[in-house]
Amino acid sequence: RTDTVQCSRQLELTMKVATMTSLALLARSTAAFTVRSTTRVAARGITARNMAGEAGPMPHNDEKMPFYALGVNLARQIGGQTSFKTLLEDEELELVLEGFSDSLKGSGVQDDQTVLASYGQALNAILTERSSKIVDRVKAEGEEFVANFLDCTEEAVKTDSGLVYYSMTEGEGEQPTIASTVEVHYHGTLTDGTVFDSSVDRGQTISFPLGGVIKGWQEGLSMMKEGGKATLVIPSDLAYGDAGSGDTIPPGATLKFEVELFKVS
């Protein structure tokens, strides 16, 4: 089991899943530089955004940090720096930041409207072309993760639907059905190890009707019994599909959950 954990950690380090958190914004945008908010609430599923984390050191002192926070806020409003790092090369990203700085300071060598009129259409073409390829790439990387996980974890099984189920601790209590309400702890990550949601980190279990969550959870928990703990690797078609979920789960993403089942009612 130690070898399995080490192998799983190695997989998370080597997988390079595109965390495209604002694909929907980029795919819809036909007018250059339109600023929109990408945050939305998922219509289905158990995911509650994990907004809290341990506070690390700040890059500046308290007097300067409010202005740094303004920069962070502006970056989030236009899609988030992580998203553009997915779509753009480092040199291209530097040009984006240069354009932002020149326009904000009024120090550009050319009028803003002239720049937009001349190159906005070309920008949209580039973003549309690149973003259209992301879902297929994320799905392919998810398939690779599943194959490697199965290779590293002998006890894991892949069901006909594509769900990967690995029992970490066998339960001895009641086994849920689709009509059951369950109480669980869970820790959800992308295949690169990024935590997108965790009741474990929040320190509080969650209860919900099993029939109201994603298909991968419905199937996976139906294979468990009270007191059991399992790893579920869920392909996108059993999770949030090509739409993703909010600003935390990219379109086409394969998800990995560690789930502990406490109670079935």
Side-chain angles (χ1 to χ4, degrees), residues 110-261:
Q110 185 56 266
D111 176 72
D112 287 358
Q113 291 301 320
T114 301
V115 172
L116 296 181
S118 300
Y119 296 100
Q121 187 173 355
L123 168 64
N124 286 327
I126 292 170
L127 295 182
T128 299
E129 179 184 4
R130 294 184 185 182
S131 62
S132 66
K133 298 176 181 178
I134 287 184
V135 173
D136 289 341
R137 187 178 77 192
V138 172
K139 286 183 176 181
E141 290 173 336
E143 291 172 359
E144 181 181 354
F145 181 85
V146 166
N148 288 334
F149 185 86
L150 289 169
D151 286 343
C152 289
T153 315
E154 293 183 1
E155 301 92 340
V157 296
K158 184 177 181 181
T159 69
D160 291 341
S161 69
L163 172 74
V164 174
Y165 179 87
Y166 168 51
S167 178
M168 304 169 71
T169 302
E170 290 290 345
E172 297 181 354
E174 186 176 350
Q175 189 166 355
T177 68
I178 196 69
S180 300
T181 294
V182 295
E183 180 184 355
V184 301
H185 248 332
Y186 65 91
H187 186 72
T189 62
L190 303 178
T191 54
D192 64 355
T194 299
V195 179
F196 61 83
D197 192 19
S198 175
S199 69
V200 175
D201 290 350
R202 291 192 297 274
Q204 184 175 2
T205 60
I206 184 172
S207 298
F208 52 85
L210 191 54
V213 296
I214 57 176
K215 292 180 180 179
W217 269 71
Q218 292 176 2
E219 181 179 359
L221 266 74
S222 295
M223 299 170 69
M224 300 176 66
K225 295 181 179 180
E226 284 181 337
K229 186 174 183 179
T231 296
L232 310 178
V233 181
I234 305 176
S236 63
D237 58 341
L238 299 178
Y240 295 96
D242 292 352
S245 181
D247 56 358
T248 54
I249 299 177
T254 293
L255 308 179
K256 178 184 175 185
F257 288 95
E258 288 188 2
V259 184
E260 188 170 3
L261 178 58

Side-chain angles (χ1 to χ4, degrees), residues 40-62:
R40 64 180 178 84
V41 178
R44 287 185 80 220
I46 60 158
T47 302
R49 307 296 184 262
N50 179 23
M51 302 301 293
E54 293 187 5
M58 296 296 177
H60 300 287
N61 61 33
D62 288 347

Side-chain angles (χ1 to χ4, degrees), residues 38-138:
T38 60
T39 304
R40 64 180 178 84
V41 178
R44 287 185 80 220
I46 60 158
T47 302
R49 307 296 184 262
N50 179 23
M51 302 301 293
E54 293 187 5
M58 296 296 177
H60 300 287
N61 61 33
D62 288 347
E63 184 178 353
K64 294 181 178 180
M65 278 307 300
F67 305 103
Y68 183 89
L70 173 60
V72 171
N73 187 46
L74 292 172
R76 288 176 61 87
Q77 287 185 39
I78 62 174
Q81 186 173 346
T82 300
S83 302
F84 285 105
K85 285 180 67 175
T86 299
L87 290 175
L88 305 179
E89 301 293 337
D90 288 345
E91 182 178 344
E92 294 169 337
L93 185 57
E94 289 298 322
L95 290 171
V96 171
L97 298 177
E98 180 184 347
F100 181 87
S101 177
D102 287 350
S103 180
L104 188 65
K105 295 177 180 178
S107 59
V109 299
Q110 185 56 266
D111 176 72
D112 287 358
Q113 291 301 320
T114 301
V115 172
L116 296 181
S118 300
Y119 296 100
Q121 187 173 355
L123 168 64
N124 286 327
I126 292 170
L127 295 182
T128 299
E129 179 184 4
R130 294 184 185 182
S131 62
S132 66
K133 298 176 181 178
I134 287 184
V135 173
D136 289 341
R137 187 178 77 192
V138 172

